[in-house]
Amino acid sequence: MRDFSTDHRWLSINTATVRRQRGADWPLLDILDACAARGIRAVSPWRDQVAAAGLDATAHALKSHGIELSGYCRGGMFTYTDAASRQAVRDDNRRALDEACTLQAPCLVLVVGGLPGALAGQPAHRDIASAREQVAEGIAALLDDARERRMPLAIEPLHPMYAADRACVNTLRQALDLCERLDPPMAGPPCLGVAIDAYHVWWDPELDSQIARAGAQRRVLALHVCDWLVPTIDLLTDRGMMGDGIIDLPRLRGQVEAAGFAGYAEVEIFSTRWWAHDGGEVLDTCIARHRSVV
Ligand code: ZN
């Protein structure tokens, strides 16, 4: 296992971690400046942040700072209610792929979607099995576009508490089953893999064996870290800073690295507590915790 204690060369910042500090959006280009000033070598930006900064301006800033991406957030949300919304989803995911290519991301992260309409508070039905089939269909279609562009897709299984509204793929086993079905193991590197986020998978009794399974197929494309607070007071915006909760992060990282992953540990914290701090202070805390508890 790599030693993170003396430097932070394998730290990446998911830019949602510092997206709106003290009530104001922190512009992506300013975040990149602040990361560069601290020797942070990688980020994972969100599409809305890139759109606000401008795609070309973002690509230029990344290049001039020498910052690379650990992933691009995000594609997915595949579930639909009619032919028009299915087409809109496919078009939007293609745009996400093109942006990921422009930014030279190592993968496009997929949050696959839940029951159609649920995220907006109006679920169209109660049939989660059909939602899961739509997800498989959506990934299969996007995979053709991804192969053309040589841009790997990383399915991120989300904690089951998000099954209704954000992602009906909820375990690493489920994600890997999809990978094997849609992108069967072949000689070359797979185009479909997984993003392993500590927050979503830490509780899974099958975690060890599924990480090993992912590694054997070279499907681990990203590692996201934060912590699970006890108690957690909001389902979406109360993620913990590494070391403040109950996830055994070194154990998880050890397993993921034993499975062959040698990329960045990407800090992804959606937290009203941390959004209330100065952004630079949050980045400094991420660096310190990355060295001490990841
Ligand atoms: Zn994540």
Side-chain angles (χ1 to χ4, degrees):
M1 187 167 151
R2 294 170 292 176
D3 178 9
F4 281 2
S5 66
T6 54
D7 62 50
H8 54 282
R9 61 183 287 109
W10 293 110
L11 165 68
S12 171
I13 298 293
N14 183 298
T15 55
T17 304
V18 285
R19 70 154 54 242
R20 52 170 172 261
Q21 304 310 119
R22 296 178 166 169
D25 284 349
W26 199 11
L28 182 59
L29 300 185
D30 293 353
I31 295 173
L32 295 180
D33 288 345
C35 286
R38 289 167 173 78
I40 293 170
R41 303 194 309 151
V43 298
S44 182
W46 284 66
R47 290 185 72 197
D48 65 309
Q49 293 174 300
V50 170
L55 181 61
D56 291 339
T58 303
H60 182 264
L62 288 167
K63 196 171 177 195
S64 66
H65 285 312
I67 293 178
E68 56 183 9
L69 263 55
S70 57
Y72 187 45
C73 291
R74 59 174 165 58
M77 295 294 167
F78 294 109
T79 54
Y80 58 86
T81 51
D82 54 31
S85 56
R86 179 168 72 169
Q87 190 59 45
V89 166
R90 179 150 192 200
D91 293 345
D92 190 51
N93 273 297
R94 275 210 201 99
R95 285 193 291 275
L97 270 180
D98 289 336
E99 293 161 23
C101 291
T102 300
L103 299 174
Q104 300 184 326
C107 61
L108 175 65
V109 174
L110 302 180
V111 172
V112 299
L115 297 170
L119 193 57
Q122 297 258 307
H125 57 69
R126 297 185 170 89
D127 186 356
I128 195 167
S130 80
R132 286 176 169 146
E133 272 314 299
Q134 289 186 346
V135 166
E137 175 198 298
I139 294 175
L142 187 62
L143 200 50
D144 291 337
D145 303 321
R147 284 201 185 98
E148 243 169 55
R149 294 161 173 81
R150 298 177 187 226
M151 177 54 63
L153 302 175
I155 302 172
E156 183 165 350
L158 259 53
H159 190 284
M161 67 182 170
Y162 302 116
D165 55 2
R166 285 192 162 73
C168 56
V169 172
N170 305 104
T171 63
L172 202 47
R173 172 190 283 276
Q174 203 187 345
L176 290 167
D177 286 350
L178 271 173
C179 289
E180 288 177 11
R181 172 177 155 194
L182 303 176
D183 184 35
M186 288 183 294
C191 195
L192 187 59
V194 293
I196 297 177
D197 186 326
Y199 195 71
H200 296 304
V201 303
W202 69 271
W203 57 274
D204 185 348
E206 292 193 326
L207 188 58
D208 298 15
S209 60
Q210 295 302 316
I211 289 174
R213 176 186 173 197
Q217 299 180 11
R218 293 186 288 173
R219 296 201 198 264
V220 183
L221 300 180
L223 171 65
H224 300 172
V225 297
C226 66
D227 217 332
W228 184 281
L229 299 178
V230 178
T232 289
I233 59 171
D234 186 279
L235 298 190
L236 196 61
T237 60
D238 196 31
R239 293 192 185 204
M241 177 64 68
M242 299 80 73
D244 288 348
I246 50 75
I247 302 178
D248 190 342
L249 289 168
R251 184 175 186 280
L252 175 66
R253 182 166 70 85
Q255 287 179 310
V256 171
E257 292 190 10
F261 180 75
Y264 291 97
E266 176 185 320
V267 175
E268 184 183 36
I269 303 173
F270 313 139
S271 166
T272 47
R273 303 172 201 240
W274 287 99
W275 287 330
H277 288 253
D278 170 72
E281 190 188 313
V282 177
L283 293 177
D284 291 338
T285 306
C286 290
I287 291 170
R289 298 297 181 87
H290 173 86
R291 291 181 178 201
S292 61
V293 298
V294 173

